[in-house]
Amino acid sequence: SGYPWQYYRRSSTGDHASWIVYAPGGANDRGQRDSGSFVQYMTKGMKPITGYGNCSPPSAYHELGPGAPFVPMLERGGAREFPASQVLTYKWHLDPPLKGCVFPQYEAVKDRVRHFECEDCDRYDMWMLDDDMETGMACFRHLRSNTNDGRHEYSRREATLILKEQGVPFSAGRFAAIAEELKRMEISGNADDLQAVAKGTQESD
Ligand SMILES: [Zn+2]
Ligand SMILES: [Zn+2]
């Protein structure tokens, strides 16, 4: 259809909570819109964001890079709407799609930012907040994965230690418990106990 797209905020719970997205459903100058899409996105728990205008369908930004469809909103002062987790995932705190753009929600928590850079490959570079267990677990799985090139495939214990060293948060109850236990034993210097814990981590998923 020839209708514009518009910005929405995702639901405040679940995956990518409160992230800003662009999707069909924007109104044109005569107030007409693709109301089927509009209703569909509302039903999915997305809230339309008004006040920063619309955007064009993504084909209009094809040559301009992944952040380009957000630029019309950023040009109208919409940076404040973006949650810190989205800014970090897009690495906009390093390279904003609009030059000089500052993201207040990120600025407010930037002392809680963590960074994971895989030493086995150059392409895995993740930014997250210190309570973002989801991203932390993705880093954990990355280290554990078998890439068939002699890299990664770390044991649970090694992956745990690497992530702790880089200050990456991850939970999954059992892993957190193991990490704590390892820390405790390293402090007490009991190497035999360390082995026992490492064995205990060999359980399958
Ligand atoms: Zn890697
Ligand atoms: Zn990096």
Side-chain angles (χ1 to χ4, degrees):
S1 74
Y3 298 120
W5 284 31
Q6 72 160 46
Y7 302 102
Y8 298 85
R9 181 190 310 286
R10 294 178 65 103
S11 157
S12 60
T13 58
D15 207 20
H16 296 163
S18 302
W19 279 32
I20 309 301
V21 300
Y22 51 90
N28 66 15
D29 293 343
R30 294 185 298 284
Q32 299 164 321
R33 64 171 86 236
D34 174 355
S35 48
S37 294
F38 187 68
V39 169
Q40 188 194 337
Y41 286 106
M42 299 273 273
T43 308
K44 283 181 184 167
M46 301 210 192
K47 293 203 172 59
I49 294 185
T50 54
Y52 307 104
N54 288 323
C55 62
S56 303
S59 55
Y61 308 101
H62 187 61
E63 308 285 315
L64 299 174
F70 292 105
V71 168
M73 177 169 170
L74 295 173
E75 283 175 338
R76 294 183 173 93
R80 61 183 170 191
E81 304 289 346
F82 288 83
S85 64
Q86 185 170 12
V87 172
L88 290 167
T89 300
Y90 292 175
K91 300 185 175 80
W92 282 357
H93 60 304
L94 304 173
D95 186 19
L98 181 65
K99 197 168 181 286
C101 195
V102 171
F103 296 90
Q105 294 188 51
Y106 158 75
E107 293 294 325
V109 295
K110 68 181 187 186
D111 58 328
R112 289 179 39 216
V113 168
R114 299 286 185 270
H115 181 207
F116 173 70
E117 211 159 357
C118 179
E119 287 176 7
D120 281 26
C121 64
D122 294 330
R123 58 192 167 77
Y124 201 82
D125 182 34
M126 304 288 269
W127 294 84
M128 73 212 87
L129 289 178
D130 60 2
D131 62 354
D132 183 357
M133 305 298 176
E134 210 177 301
T135 303
M137 282 306 290
C139 297
F140 184 81
R141 287 191 299 272
H142 177 83
L143 288 169
R144 296 271 294 140
S145 64
N146 180 2
T147 44
N148 285 315
D149 56 1
R151 300 186 294 179
H152 309 101
E153 229 185 336
Y154 288 98
S155 71
R156 287 171 189 259
R157 191 179 74 88
E158 288 167 332
T160 298
L161 291 174
I162 291 167
L163 293 182
K164 281 190 77 74
E165 199 175 85
Q166 298 202 29
V168 172
F170 64 108
S171 71
R174 179 167 170 73
F175 302 133
I178 291 167
E180 278 315 302
E181 187 69 359
L182 285 169
K183 195 165 119 197
R184 196 180 61 75
M185 285 186 238
E186 272 160 11
I187 290 167
S188 72
N190 190 336
D192 293 343
D193 286 355
L194 270 176
Q195 284 226 311
V197 171
K199 269 211 184 89
T201 63
Q202 307 278 314
E203 45 125 39
S204 60
D205 283 314

